[in-house]
Amino acid sequence: MSDLILRGASRPLIGDIRVPGDKSIAHRAVLFSALAHGRSRVRGLSGGEDNNRTVAACRALGVRIESGPGSGPDPGGELIIESQGLDGLRSSATTIDCGNSGTTMRLLAGVLASRPFATTLVGDQYLEARPMRRVAEPLGRMGATITGRTGVRGELYPPLTIGRGGQGGSVSAPLHGIDYVSPQASAQVKSAILLAGLAAEGTTRVCEPAPSRDHTERMLRAQGVPLIVEKGLVQIEPAGWDRRLLPLDVTVPGDLSSAAFLLGAAAIVPGSVLVLRGVGVNPTRTGVLDALVMMGAALSIDVLGEVGGEPVADVTVWGSPLRGIEIAGALTVRAIDELPLLAAVAAHAEGETVIRDARELRVKESDRIASMVAALTGLGIDAEEREDGLVIRGRPGPGKVRGGQAKSAGDHRIAMAAAVCALFAEGPSRIEDAANIATSFPSFVPLVQGLGAELELRP
Ligand code: S3P
């Protein structure tokens, strides 16, 4: 198990860099290429372990995926994906291991729901503890057969076995569209239902309490799928198109969720100037930028245009004194994966930061409310759990945060958020079990070292 060792008391961060490709968009680019008819090209992959699971899963289902000529560490890998559409997928000879990746498992569940063969999806110990009823229930209503491990209060956990079956388990009955009102704002749930809807008879409609990330809608539209998107509702109309998805030729924009760790770190210390090039700024994901500005960070966002239907910008941050804020409602949803980082930044801000409406954090790669509070406490910060969020009482200024020992809880974003907090602590810190950073951001440590900070991953 590798630990991250940080010296603390880092100087301001100065640099001009690119971050690896967006994890959410890359999952979709690979999987949706595998559903298309023809040859797709996907550039700018991060090489992160989660995305690699989606690539391996598509290969296991008979899709030809090869490294393209644009492969390399920078700007990231290129893949050439040859597919004969949804009906070209073949039964996997083995169970498919989704590793730590909830997006791989839940989106695949939507694709496999309509296939005339059964597939078993497994995950690592963290993914196997994550709730799957949220996809199994709507897909079951569409006529799919999904079984898993049942837990308390009827919750369903992986391994999941998915195949097609109507009433009585008949494999010949096609799926049928549903009108689904999702209890959570979840892009994974929405995407699973829409992917099943591609092969269903009738209209599929998903309504959510707040808009979750819309990468699926943007990409399926670019592939010729007739989608109607209205406030809080997405509808897929099966009629009027030939159900053949067009192949993709996309460059994945830089991952704002990865960039956020560097932006947040630079924002903490006056004197920092950091430029991050080519970052995705889809408005369903930019809550972290809004929150940093509310805290008093100086940011400039220069939109360059669209790449693969996604807006991309150069983002610059200047370090400045920060203050505590309240994060709630739709802002919580738009910053859901960046809440651990925002909690780390809040530790260095003046006053209290309150994060609310964030119950979903309890069912991420770890219980991120509990694991972030424990990590911050271990670094000498006054942080407290709430049922639906957390409260952080910041201690700005040099030497106010002591530093110490924190655990990642097996969660890449907790490891990186704790690291950001510890960079500017008075003394040294150790973040236990931090190799999982490679789940989403394999180049995090070298990039931060390149900005002049002292940290290293020790076996
Ligand atoms: C993701 C959706 C979000 C997010 C996750 C990636 C996606 O999860 O937290 O990291 O790519 O669709 P939920 O759909 O569970 O909110």
Side-chain angles (χ1 to χ4, degrees), residues 23-24 27-28 103 106-107 130 134 185-189 191 213 336-337 360 364-365 368 413:
K23 178 159 81 76
S24 280
H27 279 304
R28 288 161 173 82
T103 307
R106 293 190 177 126
L107 269 56
R130 296 184 66 185
R134 53 183 59 203
S186 163
Q188 293 175 354
V189 171
S191 302
R213 63 192 66 192
I336 192 76
D337 287 347
E360 277 293 298
K364 295 291 180 189
E365 286 83 326
R368 286 185 172 160
R413 297 204 198 279

Side-chain angles (χ1 to χ4, degrees), residues 210-285:
S212 65
R213 63 192 66 192
D214 65 354
H215 307 305
T216 292
E217 294 90 308
R218 287 172 187 254
M219 206 172 281
L220 288 181
R221 265 201 173 144
Q223 293 183 277
V225 179
L227 281 176
I228 298 168
V229 182
E230 280 163 16
K231 222 169 176 268
L233 185 139
V234 190
Q235 180 172 317
I236 185 166
E237 204 56 70
W241 66 300
D242 62 5
R243 291 181 185 243
R244 290 166 74 94
L245 269 62
L246 300 172
L248 289 163
D249 186 347
V250 288
T251 299
V252 177
D255 195 336
L256 180 57
S257 295
S258 298
F261 293 104
L262 307 177
L263 289 171
I268 290 172
V269 183
S272 291
V273 188
L274 182 62
V275 187
L276 297 177
R277 305 270 175 200
V279 180
V281 287
N282 180 316
T284 59
R285 296 276 298 279

Side-chain angles (χ1 to χ4, degrees), residues 3 17 29 36 66 89 126 129 135 144 153 186 237 247 331 354 380 385 415:
D3 294 349
I17 53 176
E66 275 160 24
L89 298 183
Y126 304 101
V135 286
R153 275 178 250 113
S186 163
E237 204 56 70
L331 181 59
V354 182
E385 270 192 53

Side-chain angles (χ1 to χ4, degrees), residues 45 142 213 373 424:
L45 293 153
M142 295 176 86
R213 63 192 66 192
V373 167
F424 305 104

